[in-house]
């Protein structure tokens, strides 16, 4: 069988030929890619010549070329357009990829060559970028157990393999729960819902093959349903299903997986000589220690909780005025918060949403990138992996910079949330390679597709990650794009959200779906004035999740994570009517892999910087100041992981910021 994954692609921009790639290709291609990688590693480790940066570190950078190609296609599809065969392959690949990674780390001859170079680093005449890559490579091997021996090394290999399997199972269980639940709505159940929610519910019903409109567990549908449905009983049913993802019993229950994952992470840290997994994980982040993370989160928690409790009193009174007995519940908050926003700020989501068409917001994100960085976007007529996906060529002054793929609509085959990935990363080693970058979201379909303001922020957020990839300008793929400290990676994405708040951007792109008229200035002013509305709720639900994540990993692994979660929430005084943004059984950031484990705080750590970074543009009075944009690109967006994150930020801003900018940006400074 001809396997297109292993051949050169005669396609525009070397895009994968999605229409010709079959699921049957992935298994053989992965095996071939792993064998290619093993052969390359053997050649490096067994080379008779003394180690040099070129024959060891650079050779290692190029060793996984085939694997990167195959995995880049497969894992993008597995997340955005899954099916039973791809899920089966994902389960099969997880232990194989973990074993391959462990083989490399455990290759004593290879590590001796790397360690030899590290010991002689000051005599090698390396550039700053090469020294950084050598440092990160050596550190990565040590932190992965290369210096361990005997039983400890073997056990660490077993632990990492099991963790990779569990992460895949957690993700697939969550996808099954999210795809499998929906609540059918009778026509009378639609009363009180805005047209855009009704339209989204009908589209979801068609996608599910139901006989009419439905509510699904997609955030872009369930959140507006909770905001607008006057049916408290239906809101409760929907909310409870949403909160119960991953803990419904049976084969898709994630509670046992979470328990085992935490125990194995704790064991992994101990094998490597760390007091806790949090200490191990945070060693390489900007925060450095669990104590620094806790200090930041608690500095924000107290004013956020105070603001949320004051808001809860107002909402409870509104509920009582409606004749509803009993306490304010989590399925009540969004409904009464929306009514209060209308009363206090004269803002109605149904009035706002027609001004946020998906295509217009894509154009807005592109337009800001053009004005800031000179990028231009040309639609491509190419075959992609799903009809919903679309592609653009990104250029600057006629030079090809990237291919950008946007996949924006929710569907049952796509995992929840929004993310950015690179099907191919930028590098110069071995020849100039420009990236293929993918943004994936879960917006509700409609004709036209309308976004909430929060949805539009999500679109800008993910595009900020995409810019980090597209503007990358380094030699080595291992430090390309978003290959930076976890608590720095969210800076470009969260910073880019600020441009959605710029009045001239909204005046140009926020146009009514039916009339084409620009958003009235008085409505725009009301929208911007309400930027921090309900920020107590938003901050509490996030910080609670971050503190639970930190507590899970800062100390011995809990025997019962659900009980440990409850203990943390009780200790910090979690308001009754607010749920965690991500409860343990569906906390994919933390349990689908190690990426955000002990690191969910990183959004807030980055927010300290993004608030301060955008203030730089405000200080010069121009959100599109060319000099500042050039500095931002040079020191942050193009630099990847070529230096420590604090050095990169300081090169841009001149100093590191304090938490005050974050509290001010969230409207919590007075409550602090």
């Amino acid at each position: 069988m001809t396997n297109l994954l292993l051949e050169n692609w005669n396609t525009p921009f070397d895009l994968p030929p999605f229409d010709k790639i079959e699921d049957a290709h992935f298994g053989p291609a992965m095996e071939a890619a792993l064998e290619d990688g093993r052969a390359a590693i053997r050649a490096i480790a067994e080379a008779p010549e003394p180690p040099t940066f070129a024959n060891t570190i650079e050779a290692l950078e190029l060793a996984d070329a085939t694997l990167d190609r195959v995995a880049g296609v497969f894992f993008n599809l597995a997340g955005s357009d899954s099916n039973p065969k791809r899920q089966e392959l994902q389960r099969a690949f997880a232990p194989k990829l973990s074993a391959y990674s462990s083989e490399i780390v455990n290759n004593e001859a290879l590590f001796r060559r790397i360690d030899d170079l590290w010991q002689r680093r000051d005599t090698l005449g390396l550039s700053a970028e090469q020294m950084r890559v050598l440092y990160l490579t050596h550190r990565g091997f040590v932190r992965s157990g290369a210096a361990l021996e005997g039983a400890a090394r073997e056990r660490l290999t077993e632990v990492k393999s099991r963790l990779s399997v569990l992460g895949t199972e957690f993700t697939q269980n969550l996808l099954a729960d999210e795809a499998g639940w929906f609540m059918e709505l009778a026509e009378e159940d639609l009363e009180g819902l805005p047209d855009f929610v009704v339209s989204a519910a009908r589209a979801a019903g068609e996608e599910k093959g139901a006989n009419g409109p439905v509510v699904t567990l997609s955030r872009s549908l369930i959140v507006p349903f909770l905001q607008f449905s006057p049916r408290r009983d239906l809101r409760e049913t929907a909310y409870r299903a949403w909160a119960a993802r991953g803990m419904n019993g049976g084969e898709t229950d994630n509670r046992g997986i979470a328990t085992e994952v935490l125990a194995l992470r704790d064991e992994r840290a101990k094998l490597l000589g760390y007091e806790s997994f949090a200490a191990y994980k945070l060693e390489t982040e900007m925060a450095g220690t669990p104590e620094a993370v806790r200090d930041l989160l608690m500095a924000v928690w107290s004013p956020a909780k105070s603001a949320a409790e004051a808001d809860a009193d107002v909402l409870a009174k509104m509920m009582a005025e409606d004749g509803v007995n009993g306490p304010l519940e989590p399925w009540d908050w969004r409904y009464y918060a929306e009514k209060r926003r209308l009363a206090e700020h004269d803002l109605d989501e149904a009035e706002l949403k027609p001004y946020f068409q998906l295509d217009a917001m894509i154009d807005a994100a592109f337009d800001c990138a053009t004005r800031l960085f000179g990028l231009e976007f040309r639609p491509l007529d190419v075959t992609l992996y799903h009809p919903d996906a679309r592609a653009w060529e990104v250029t600057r002054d006629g030079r090809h910079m990237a291919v950008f793929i946007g996949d924006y609509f929710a569907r049952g085959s796509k995992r929840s949330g929004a993310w950015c990935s690179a099907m191919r990363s930028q590098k110069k080693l071995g020849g100039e390679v420009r990236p293929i970058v993918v943004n994936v979201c879960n917006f509700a379909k409609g004709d036209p597709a309308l976004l909430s303001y929060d949805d539009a922020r999500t679109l800008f957020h993910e595009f900020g990650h995409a810019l980090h990839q597209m503007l990358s300008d380094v030699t080595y793929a291992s430090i390309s794009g978003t290959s930076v400290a976890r608590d720095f990676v969210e800076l470009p994405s969260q910073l880019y959200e600020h441009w959605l708040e710029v009045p001239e951007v909204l005046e140009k792109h926020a146009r009514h779906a039916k009339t084409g008229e620009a958003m009235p200035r008085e409505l725009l002013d009301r929208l911007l004035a309400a930027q921090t509305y309900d920020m107590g709720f938003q901050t509490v639900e996030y910080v609670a999740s971050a503190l639970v994540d930190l507590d899970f990993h800062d100390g011995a692994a809990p025997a019962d994570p659900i009980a440990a979660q409850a203990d943390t929430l009780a200790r910090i005084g979690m308001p009754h009517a607010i749920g965690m943004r991500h409860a343990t059984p569906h906390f994919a950031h933390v349990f689908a892999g190690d990426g955000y484990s002990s690191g969910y705080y990183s959004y807030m750590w980055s927010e300290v910087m993004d608030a301060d970074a955008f203030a730089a543009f405000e200080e010069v009075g121009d959100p599109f100041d060319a000099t500042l944009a050039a500095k931002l690109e040079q020191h942050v967006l193009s630099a990847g992981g070529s230096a420590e994150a604090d050095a990169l930020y300081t090169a841009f801003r001149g100093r590191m910021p304090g938490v005050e900018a974050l509290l001010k940006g969230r409207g919590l400074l007075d409550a602090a």
Side-chain angles (χ1 to χ4, degrees):
M1 177 180 68
T2 300
N3 196 320
L4 289 169
L5 290 165
L6 301 174
E7 297 182 354
N8 291 325
W9 298 332
N10 184 24
T11 57
F13 310 106
D14 202 29
L15 283 165
F18 290 108
D19 56 333
K20 298 177 182 177
I21 294 174
E22 302 172 7
D23 286 345
H25 292 148
F26 285 115
M30 187 64 76
E31 294 294 341
L34 291 172
E35 284 308 308
D36 281 357
R38 290 187 176 99
I41 296 300
R42 281 196 300 272
I44 298 168
E46 298 170 7
E49 301 84 9
T52 66
F53 188 84
N55 71 18
T56 302
I57 304 301
E58 290 188 339
L60 194 58
E61 287 273 329
L62 298 172
D64 285 339
T66 307
L67 181 59
D68 290 343
R69 177 186 175 97
V70 174
V73 177
F74 176 76
F75 285 105
N76 273 277
L77 291 181
S80 58
D81 194 27
S82 188
N83 61 34
K85 180 60 178 177
R86 291 171 189 170
Q87 292 184 358
E88 177 188 339
L89 287 167
Q90 198 173 6
R91 292 191 295 270
F93 291 164
K96 292 180 180 180
L97 289 168
S98 178
Y100 173 72
S101 176
S102 292
E103 286 174 31
I104 296 172
V105 169
N106 294 340
N107 188 313
E108 296 181 21
L110 177 62
F111 181 61
R112 279 198 301 270
R113 294 177 71 87
I114 295 169
D115 191 52
D116 175 76
L117 291 171
W118 177 245
Q119 301 304 326
R120 295 188 292 114
R121 59 190 179 278
D122 293 332
T123 69
L124 301 177
L126 301 180
S127 68
E129 185 177 345
Q130 289 173 326
M131 186 67 83
R132 176 72 173 167
V133 170
L134 175 58
Y135 164 70
L136 292 174
T137 302
H138 184 267
R139 185 182 74 176
F141 268 69
V142 172
R143 284 173 54 83
S144 295
L148 295 181
E149 297 178 350
R153 172 183 286 188
E154 293 178 5
R155 178 56 187 161
L156 184 61
T157 298
E158 294 171 356
V159 167
K160 289 189 291 186
S161 178
R162 181 60 180 161
L163 283 169
S164 71
V165 171
L166 292 172
T168 299
E169 290 180 357
F170 188 98
T171 302
Q172 293 187 355
N173 288 347
L174 183 55
L175 177 63
D177 274 10
E178 290 173 341
W181 186 92
F182 60 88
M183 180 174 66
E184 295 187 359
L185 299 175
E187 289 300 314
E188 57 268 26
D189 298 334
L190 303 176
E191 292 180 11
L193 297 178
D195 289 345
F196 74 86
V197 180
V198 174
S199 176
R202 293 194 191 281
E206 291 179 10
E207 198 260 340
K208 293 296 184 185
N211 294 322
V214 304
V215 175
T216 69
L217 298 182
S218 169
R219 177 176 285 270
S220 60
L221 179 51
I222 196 169
V223 167
F225 182 80
L226 292 170
Q227 284 177 301
F228 291 106
S229 176
R231 288 282 303 276
R232 192 177 190 229
D233 57 333
L234 297 182
R235 295 200 312 267
E236 180 178 358
T237 298
Y239 181 87
R240 288 189 181 279
W242 197 31
R245 290 169 294 158
M247 54 184 298
N248 290 302
E251 295 181 354
T252 63
D253 197 296
N254 276 332
R255 286 172 287 190
I257 291 176
T259 303
E260 188 177 356
V261 164
L262 293 174
L264 290 172
R265 284 177 181 162
D266 187 39
E267 183 180 0
R268 177 182 178 183
K270 296 295 198 308
L271 286 167
L272 291 167
Y274 293 86
E275 291 183 2
S276 67
F277 185 81
Y280 162 75
K281 186 70 184 295
L282 295 171
E283 179 185 50
T284 60
E285 307 298 336
M286 293 184 75
T289 66
E291 292 74 24
V293 173
R294 196 176 302 280
D295 286 347
L296 169 67
L297 294 175
M298 293 309 298
V300 178
W301 174 258
S302 295
K305 180 186 174 188
S306 295
E309 289 174 335
D311 289 340
D313 289 341
V314 175
L315 301 184
K317 290 177 182 176
M318 293 174 64
M319 191 173 77
E321 290 170 0
D322 279 352
V324 180
N325 297 320
L328 183 74
E329 298 288 354
W331 48 89
D332 297 317
W333 190 293
R334 288 176 174 85
Y335 178 71
Y336 284 98
E338 183 63 28
K339 292 181 71 172
R340 182 187 178 195
R341 185 171 75 148
L342 177 59
E344 295 185 2
H345 295 278
D346 196 19
L347 278 181
D348 181 354
E349 187 77 16
E351 180 187 11
L352 282 173
K353 204 154 186 175
Y355 291 100
F356 292 97
Q357 298 178 71
L358 171 61
D359 288 349
M361 291 302 100
I362 294 171
D363 289 344
F366 288 176
D367 186 30
C368 291
T370 300
R371 296 181 65 182
L372 287 164
F373 310 114
L375 300 178
E376 296 181 346
F377 300 83
R378 178 178 67 88
L380 293 175
D381 184 13
V382 293
T383 300
L384 298 172
Y385 58 88
H386 192 279
D388 286 346
R390 50 184 125 165
W392 294 263
E393 182 192 9
V394 186
T395 60
R396 180 160 62 186
D397 297 328
R399 178 196 174 200
H400 174 75
M401 297 292 290
V403 170
F404 173 67
I405 297 173
D407 181 0
Y408 295 106
F409 294 125
R411 55 179 175 268
S413 62
K414 182 189 290 187
R415 65 179 171 89
S416 62
W419 65 93
C420 175
S421 61
M423 209 168 283
R424 182 178 70 216
S425 296
Q426 179 271 332
K427 66 182 179 70
K428 297 177 184 175
L429 183 65
E432 179 78 12
V433 173
R434 298 307 305 173
I436 299 173
V437 187
V438 187
N439 273 181
V440 183
C441 299
N442 272 280
F443 302 140
K445 272 191 174 181
D447 186 19
L450 302 178
L451 307 183
S452 68
Y453 188 61
D454 284 345
D455 287 339
R457 290 181 71 97
T458 296
L459 187 149
F460 267 66
H461 178 102
E462 298 307 332
F463 193 73
H465 282 310
L467 286 172
H468 205 177
Q469 298 278 14
M470 293 189 285
L471 292 171
S472 181
D473 187 28
V474 297
T475 301
Y476 302 98
S478 63
I479 56 169
S480 174
T482 56
S483 298
V484 298
R486 181 64 63 176
D487 48 12
F488 190 67
V489 76
E490 298 297 337
L491 169 61
S493 54
Q494 293 179 180
L495 175 58
Y496 204 65
E497 292 179 36
H498 288 275
W499 273 275
L500 181 61
E501 304 167 2
V502 174
E504 63 188 274
V505 173
L506 289 171
E507 288 169 353
K508 180 177 180 180
H509 296 283
R511 295 187 169 271
H512 198 280
K514 292 183 179 178
T515 68
E517 295 294 321
M519 182 184 292
R521 183 68 203 208
E522 54 87 20
L523 178 58
L524 174 58
D525 290 343
R526 282 186 276 132
L527 173 65
L528 295 176
Q531 287 282 61
T532 59
Y533 175 71
D534 209 28
M535 193 56 74
F537 170 88
Q538 295 178 42
T539 307
V540 161
E541 66 165 2
Y542 165 79
V543 174
S545 296
L547 284 167
V548 167
D549 167 41
L550 182 64
D551 283 356
F552 276 163
H553 298 98
D554 186 19
D560 183 348
I562 303 301
Q565 171 184 291
D567 289 345
T568 294
L569 298 181
R571 188 186 76 248
I572 62 177
M574 183 72 170
H576 170 76
I578 303 179
M580 292 169 62
R581 183 169 298 178
H582 303 289
T584 298
H586 53 261
F587 206 163
H589 281 79
V590 170
F591 292 104
D594 277 353
Y596 284 89
S597 54
S598 295
Y600 192 61
Y601 78 93
S602 60
Y603 290 93
M604 188 149 281
W605 192 275
S606 292
E607 190 177 340
V608 172
M609 291 179 285
D610 81 63
D612 179 68
F614 193 72
F617 288 88
E618 294 176 322
E619 288 162 10
V620 299
D622 182 2
F624 295 98
D625 182 83
T627 301
L628 275 177
K631 284 185 68 176
L632 178 64
E633 178 178 349
Q634 177 187 356
H635 297 299
V636 177
L637 295 173
S638 71
S642 59
E644 292 291 343
D646 56 351
L648 293 174
Y649 187 82
T650 301
F652 165 65
R653 193 65 166 106
R655 53 163 174 72
M656 290 298 292
V659 73
E660 292 78 14
L662 180 149
L663 292 174
K664 180 181 178 183
R666 286 184 170 245
L668 299 173
L669 203 54
D670 292 341

